[in-house]
Amino acid sequence: MADSKKYRKAPSLPLHNNDEPEKSTRRVSFTAEVHHSGLYTCSSSPRVIDERDAHHRRTRPWFCKFWAWTCLVLCILSFAFLIVGASFYAIVRSGLPDVYLKRVSFPIVNVDKSNQIILSAAADVVLEFYNDNENSNVIFGSMNVDVYGEHTKLGQANIPEFSLGPKNLTILIINSTIVMDETGDQKATAAPDIESSLENKKMVIDVILNGQIGFDASGFKFKGLPVKIQCKDVKQSDLELGNEPECPIKIIFG
C-alpha cells in the first residue's frame, strides 16, 4: 500500500479589531504602449524618461515653427516674383509693335534641271513695323532673317539695329540671297516643287526673324530681350491679292 502524504494545517493568524480580517487594497498601475503593428502592450514597470527625450520634446515645437515660417516666407516670395514676372510680361506684350508681311518676291531661283537641285536663290521681302504706343520707343537690335519657300531656305540676310518712335511706322525692304553648296541638305527634292509653285503662284512662304528688342519709356530703358518674329505658312497668292498677314512676335525666355 502506497504511503499517503500528510499535510499540516497552517496555523491561523491572529485577528485584530474585534477579530475581523483586515481589508487591504493594492493598486497596480499599468502603462499602455502602442506599436506600429497596432497591438497594445502593457507594462507594470515604471516608465523612465530620458533627459535627451525631454530635450527633444522641448526643442521640437521651435523646430516646427521655424520650418513653418520658412515655408510661409518662401511661398510669399514665390507669389511676389510670380506677380512681378506676370506684370513685366504684360507690360512688354502691350509695348510690342505690330509687324505685317507686305510682299515677297523671288527674282532669282537658279535650278540645275539635270540634277533637280537649287544652286542659288534670292528673295526680296517687304515688312511693315508699326509702334502703336504713345509713350515709348521700341529698339530692335540686329536680326537674322531666313526666307523659306516650300519649306526650303531660299534666302538669308541680316538687318542692322533700328528703332521705332511713338506712333511711328517703318517699312523694311530686305534683300536676301543664298548659294547652295554641293553638300546642302535642302536641294535634293525641293527644286521641282519650287519651280511649279513659282509658275502657278502657289508658293507657301515662311519668313523668320530672330533678334533682340528693347524699350525706352520715360527715362526707363532696357534692351536685349530675345524675340522671334514669325510669318508662317503665307500663300503667295494671298500676297498677290494685296493681303498683308500679321507676323506674331514671340518673346523667348531661357
Side-chain angles (χ1 to χ4, degrees):
M1 183 176 182
D3 294 337
S4 60
K5 293 184 179 180
K6 297 181 180 181
Y7 295 91
R8 187 180 64 177
K9 184 177 180 181
S12 59
L13 298 176
L15 299 178
H16 303 280
N17 297 334
N18 299 325
D19 296 336
E20 292 183 359
E22 181 180 0
K23 296 181 180 180
S24 62
T25 59
R26 181 182 180 186
R27 297 180 181 180
V28 180
S29 61
F30 295 90
T31 58
E33 296 181 357
V34 182
H35 296 274
H36 292 291
S37 61
L39 300 177
Y40 291 85
T41 59
C42 297
S43 174
S44 60
S45 59
R47 184 177 180 183
V48 180
I49 300 177
D50 195 350
E51 292 183 359
R52 289 176 296 180
D53 293 339
H55 175 71
H56 289 319
R57 287 179 177 233
R58 288 193 299 269
T59 57
R60 191 176 303 163
W62 292 104
F63 182 77
C64 294
K65 289 180 181 179
F66 170 77
W67 278 111
W69 279 105
T70 301
C71 293
L72 180 62
V73 171
L74 290 177
C75 290
I76 293 174
L77 290 177
S78 300
F79 187 68
F81 282 128
L82 181 63
I83 293 178
V84 171
S87 302
F88 175 77
Y89 180 79
I91 293 173
V92 171
R93 286 294 305 174
S94 63
L96 292 176
D98 300 322
V99 183
Y100 298 92
L101 180 62
K102 297 179 69 68
R103 188 172 67 253
V104 179
S105 60
F106 299 92
I108 300 174
V109 178
N110 187 10
V111 178
D112 184 351
K113 295 183 180 295
S114 61
N115 296 318
Q116 294 296 321
I117 59 176
I118 299 172
L119 300 177
S120 60
D124 296 334
V125 180
V126 180
L127 291 170
E128 176 184 301
F129 291 77
Y130 177 64
N131 181 16
D132 190 40
N133 201 297
E134 298 181 351
N135 301 315
S136 65
N137 297 317
V138 180
I139 305 168
F140 280 98
S142 62
M143 291 189 292
N144 298 319
V145 183
D146 295 315
V147 183
Y148 297 86
E150 300 297 337
H151 307 291
T152 300
K153 186 182 288 187
L154 297 177
Q156 59 185 18
N158 184 269
I159 303 175
E161 181 177 326
F162 69 97
S163 61
L164 295 170
K167 294 293 183 180
N168 179 255
L169 185 146
T170 298
I171 302 293
L172 291 182
I173 301 175
I174 305 168
N175 304 116
S176 64
T177 59
I178 192 169
V179 177
M180 302 290 187
D181 57 22
E182 294 182 356
T183 59
D185 296 331
Q186 311 173 63
K187 63 186 181 181
T189 59
D193 296 335
I194 289 175
E195 279 193 309
S196 63
S197 297
L198 283 174
E199 291 175 359
N200 300 322
K201 298 187 181 300
K202 294 183 179 180
M203 178 84 75
V204 177
I205 301 167
D206 299 317
V207 180
I208 311 296
L209 296 87
N210 289 282
Q212 296 179 340
I213 195 173
F215 299 92
D216 184 2
S218 302
F220 177 72
K221 183 177 181 179
F222 76 95
K223 57 193 305 185
L225 188 64
V227 293
K228 176 180 285 189
I229 303 174
Q230 296 178 314
C231 312
K232 300 196 68 177
D233 297 327
V234 179
K235 296 180 180 179
Q236 185 182 8
S237 57
D238 291 340
L239 295 175
E240 295 287 340
L241 294 174
N243 296 324
E244 300 178 356
E246 185 175 1
C247 304
I249 301 179
K250 181 181 179 180
I251 302 174
I252 302 174
F253 293 101

